[in-house]
Amino acid sequence: MSTPADHNPTPRRLRVLLIAGSNRREYNCPGVDSKARTLLNRLADRLPATWDIDTEDLGNVYGRPKIQSCNACVSTSMALCVWPCNCYEKNSHREPDLMWNLDLYSRLDQADAWCIIGPVNWYGPTSTLKLMFDRLVCMNGGNPNESLIDHKNPEKAMALEHTPEWEKLSLNHLEGRTAAFFCYGDGGGDELDAAGRPKILRHKAYFAPAQEPFENMRDTYAPLVWQCRYGGVEVPDQLWQYAETGYGKKYSDDQAEDMVQDDPFMAQFDQWTASIREAVEAKGPVPPGRYRAYGHEAPGHLWADVKLGWRTAQMALGVPPAGSSPEAQQEQGLNLDTPLRPDLPKD
């Protein structure tokens, strides 16, 4: 079970978590470090020395575990989505997961504010940031007591979701914090013609510049911003910004060392930094939620895994649990997944 919060904490320093969300890395491919890392270091240097500054570069470090994908437990039952996520574990050899290996749930929990910096990749946030926020679905009402569902039993989770007890357990676990987003792009570099189409495009009619998805490119990060707001994490408008650098340049001429010479771009970034200072200081320390990721120790679940293994084996034989969703789907001829019973109809 998640660690209950101390609701009478002693006075403490403000704590801010800074995250660089580019996928680039200095070593191996691509061999050049990201603008996001440069901006993260600049931000850390310009925040008050009286704050506790925690930094993390999620760059695609060679050989390091990646952030595992969300398994969409919520779509089965909100009570199946455990806070903090129990689909993966720290230092796992079977499914190594960067979210757990970097203690990101705990660090996000400890912080009063999050500052997230990343590029726009194909009209959206980087895959790394999208993975991180997908895995943060558990902060929005996730189950803080996995013992009630035998670690990961879908039938028990579905039943729990219909009880009065669930209404007390399902909380926005990181509500009250502040999040700031700074995304940046190059407007297509030097790839576009005078009409706004890619120069090398042969089928010009396939690409209509007037129909591109966003008038305001900061909206490329809207899914992350609105996930925060949905769960009570405040994102003031002035802390959600987009800036452009490198437009009309070749990508090779638009590296971090070039970006820092772009005075308007850097001035906007520094103003974003000043707005973070103002907003975080005005709010002050954020009280912890009732159930904390900080201090959380994953419980043992060997016996639960044995029982879930038996459930899996029965389903493979075409014998899903009585009254379960898989049973209903099997009876209706939907989504049959019975590899050990080829005699069962597949249509």
Side-chain angles (χ1 to χ4, degrees):
M1 185 169 181
S2 301
T3 306
D6 176 2
H7 290 280
N8 295 293
T10 57
R12 59 174 178 81
R13 291 154 59 101
L14 286 165
R15 183 180 178 89
V16 179
L17 174 60
L18 317 184
I19 293 177
S22 172
N23 290 336
R24 287 208 287 170
R25 60 190 179 197
E26 186 173 3
Y27 307 104
N28 196 269
C29 173
V32 177
D33 218 338
S34 68
K35 301 180 186 75
R37 185 178 181 88
T38 296
L39 294 172
L40 176 138
N41 291 332
R42 185 181 181 96
L43 175 60
D45 288 342
R46 282 163 171 73
L47 292 177
T50 55
W51 292 9
D52 289 330
I53 308 299
D54 183 11
T55 64
E56 189 57 64
D57 183 356
L58 297 179
N60 188 21
V61 177
Y62 181 76
R64 184 167 75 168
K66 312 305 179 192
I67 297 177
Q68 294 280 358
S69 62
C70 174
N71 291 328
C73 295
V74 171
S75 296
T76 295
S77 168
M78 190 71 237
L80 192 63
C81 181
V82 170
W83 164 254
C85 173
N86 70 341
C87 294
Y88 307 97
E89 298 176 348
K90 188 171 183 178
N91 299 325
S92 170
H93 297 292
R94 293 186 303 168
E95 292 183 296
D97 173 43
L98 194 63
M99 284 290 287
W100 273 112
N101 287 4
L102 292 179
D103 290 320
L104 280 173
Y105 290 108
S106 176
R107 293 160 70 186
L108 288 159
D109 182 14
Q110 291 178 76
D112 299 296
W114 315 329
C115 304
I116 296 159
I117 303 166
V120 174
N121 289 353
W122 284 121
Y123 305 96
T126 65
S127 55
T128 298
L129 285 177
K130 186 63 170 66
L131 283 167
M132 186 184 85
F133 274 89
D134 281 352
R135 292 286 303 287
L136 284 175
V137 65
C138 59
M139 76 178 179
N140 303 101
N143 181 359
N145 188 354
E146 67 171 67
S147 68
L148 297 175
I149 59 169
D150 283 353
H151 181 62
K152 216 66 179 172
N153 183 296
E155 283 73 52
K156 288 196 172 185
M158 288 173 147
L160 176 61
E161 196 174 27
H162 291 275
T163 66
E165 182 179 11
W166 174 244
E167 296 181 9
K168 300 176 183 178
L169 291 170
S170 184
L171 306 172
N172 286 321
H173 299 292
L174 298 179
E175 186 155 2
R177 286 157 184 78
T178 299
F181 292 84
F182 188 91
C183 54
Y184 57 88
D186 51 33
D190 70 339
E191 293 184 346
L192 305 180
D193 62 22
R197 290 186 174 87
K199 296 174 184 176
I200 64 173
L201 185 67
R202 291 187 298 115
H203 298 280
K204 302 295 185 183
Y206 290 2
F207 187 93
Q211 296 178 14
E212 286 190 275
F214 304 105
E215 292 185 14
N216 187 340
M217 287 299 288
R218 80 167 192 167
D219 289 340
T220 56
Y221 273 51
L224 311 186
V225 170
W226 283 94
Q227 181 181 348
C228 288
R229 290 176 171 176
Y230 188 95
V233 176
E234 183 183 15
V235 186
D237 276 346
Q238 71 271 21
L239 300 190
W240 175 20
Q241 295 194 23
Y242 169 84
E244 191 167 277
T245 185
Y247 178 76
K249 293 184 177 182
K250 294 187 181 301
Y251 295 126
S252 55
D253 297 328
D254 181 31
Q255 304 306 310
E257 66 270 21
D258 305 300
M259 175 190 70
V260 297
Q261 304 302 320
D262 184 340
D263 292 339
F265 179 93
M266 299 308 295
Q268 182 177 342
F269 183 81
D270 289 343
Q271 181 56 53
W272 180 72
T273 301
S275 297
I276 291 170
R277 292 185 57 164
E278 181 180 354
V280 174
E281 286 178 338
K283 180 178 286 187
V286 177
R290 182 179 299 173
Y291 303 105
R292 303 206 62 184
Y294 171 63
H296 173 76
E297 294 185 10
H301 46 80
L302 178 60
W303 178 235
D305 284 346
V306 170
K307 290 190 288 185
L308 289 172
W310 175 243
R311 177 185 184 274
T312 299
Q314 287 183 302
M315 290 183 62
L317 289 167
V319 188
S324 69
S325 179
E327 183 186 58
Q329 292 185 26
Q330 182 168 296
E331 289 175 351
Q332 296 178 43
L334 307 174
N335 301 325
L336 288 175
D337 185 13
T338 54
L340 301 182
R341 286 288 302 279
D343 56 305
L344 287 178
K346 294 295 182 181
D347 297 320

